[in-house]
Amino acid sequence: MAGPRGTTWQEDVGRDLVRNLGDRLALLVRGEGAYVWDAEGRRYLDFLAGIAVNSLGHAHPVFVEAIARQAATLAHVSNYFATPPQLELAARLKRIAGTGDAGRVYFGNSGAEANEAAFKLARLHGAAKNGGQGRPRILALKSAFHGRTMGTLALTGKPAMQEPFLPMVPGVEFIDSTIDALDAALDERVAALFVEPIKGEAGVIELPEGYLEAARALTARHGALLILDEIQTGAGRTGEWFAFQHTGITPDAITVAKGIGGGFPIGALITYGAASDLFYPGTHGSTFGGNALGTAVAGAVLAEIEEAGLLRNATERGAQIRAAVDAIESPLVEGCRGQGLLIGIGLRHPIAAAVVAAAQEHGLIVNAANDETIRLAPALTIGDVEVDEFAGLFAAALKTVEDALMLEASGSEEEIPA
Ligand SMILES: *Cc1c(COP(=O)(O)O)cnc(C)c1O
């Protein structure tokens, strides 16, 4: 397919876009529901949904109508003014996050911006606690992902990602994801603990049983904030509005983005209790954050998730997917991790990229979260027919990879001298 200048789209990508990413998998031109189409007219079943973003699938009428209606009414006015969609979304987020009256919401445009706000919240708490300097330490979990900006990269416990950009914003320490490690690390100089309830980018890795409950008790004991990054796990993906709601705890703050906008870029920091009084005028802001267009779309997306019963669908379809994957008889598959419609399929060999490529050949989009994990994060709207279709396509992709590996193995055997 020729790009706008008669060159291939791959050539256009290579020439015109910053080389911060690898090769793109396809040139996609259209989406509808759980499907997308490439420029050659090939259809794919989309079980990534923009990395847990397209909660309602592609081109959902609620999403389309909300954008069109709000764009034709009032899109953006700056934060010198309030708008009805912004206030309605704040109230809705407080309700679904269970903050009670004391909660507050800050709007940004992405996950990283939500976490930047949370980082500032932690610093404000650290300062407020002890004459401006008492709590310089921030704890975060090894291998958790919190974003790509300098602040959120400093929170991200992946040394290889940080290395080209040293020095980091100071004060962050990384600990193992165990209750013992947290207990040992906490003291009165810790301002906050950041936790990703299920480590999505790391490969859909769950925390140990009881971790969030212990983290809540221990941070409270030491006067540190418990801040949960629900950017990937939120908006109903795990079967509750937010993953922490599978437990009985109340955090001090959560960050949300990805799925709440259904494809429109928006993020938010939601605070609970006393953490809601830390920001004061002049301490943070964003030109686009919380504008009428973005908040109208997110409000409509969240309302549809609620009205269409999509939390329950996430639980049910998630169970159906796990059962289907478990039923595939492949020597390559180890088993499923995750919750609801955030699923990691563990592989027995570092072949995730080959599985993704084979799946794409068969008309299925899945993601390699790491070398040995396939990540699934389909739209919350998928039905059982689409799960059945997924199961067939995924089994076929695994068979393709298995056959290729067998060929390779038999080829190399021939080369081994008898
Ligand atoms: C995606 C993600 C982020 C970063 O969000 P952006 O919108 O890409 O800035 C942060 N934390 C988690 C857990 C994520 O999954």
Side-chain angles (χ1 to χ4, degrees), residues 50-53 109-115 144-149 152 156 195-202 228-233 255-258 265-267 342 375:
I51 319 183
V53 165
N109 308 288
S110 65
E113 284 179 69
N115 280 339
F145 179 78
H146 297 297
R148 298 285 201 161
T149 58
T152 59
T156 293
V195 176
E196 190 186 359
I198 298 173
K199 292 176 191 166
E201 300 301 306
L228 303 180
D229 181 339
E230 293 263 11
I231 289 164
Q232 193 156 153
T233 50
T255 52
V256 300
K258 291 199 166 85
I266 182 168
L342 181 57
R375 173 173 46 182

Side-chain angles (χ1 to χ4, degrees), residues 3 50 61 85-86 145 152 181 201 221 242 258 287 292-293 310-311 333 341 368 381 384 390 395 414:
Q86 179 186 72
F145 179 78
T152 59
E201 300 301 306
R221 185 187 305 160
F242 304 103
K258 291 199 166 85
T287 296
L293 185 56
L310 297 184
L311 302 192
V333 173
L341 286 175
T381 47
D384 49 6
F390 156 80
E414 276 162 22

Side-chain angles (χ1 to χ4, degrees), residues 117-191:
F119 199 148
K120 277 189 161 179
L121 185 81
R123 287 284 204 252
L124 288 172
H125 177 69
K129 273 283 166 190
N130 224 333
Q133 57 206 305
R135 292 178 177 265
R137 303 178 63 207
I138 289 175
L139 303 180
L141 302 186
K142 287 178 190 166
S143 84
F145 179 78
H146 297 297
R148 298 285 201 161
T149 58
M150 288 305 293
T152 59
L153 186 58
L155 291 169
T156 293
K158 301 187 178 199
M161 274 176 60
Q162 294 188 343
E163 202 274 330
F165 304 104
L166 296 173
M168 288 290 115
V169 178
V172 183
E173 297 164 43
F174 299 105
I175 58 173
D176 288 332
S177 304
T178 65
I179 296 167
D180 284 350
L182 176 59
D183 198 17
L186 273 169
D187 64 18
E188 313 311 309
R189 288 164 57 77
V190 173

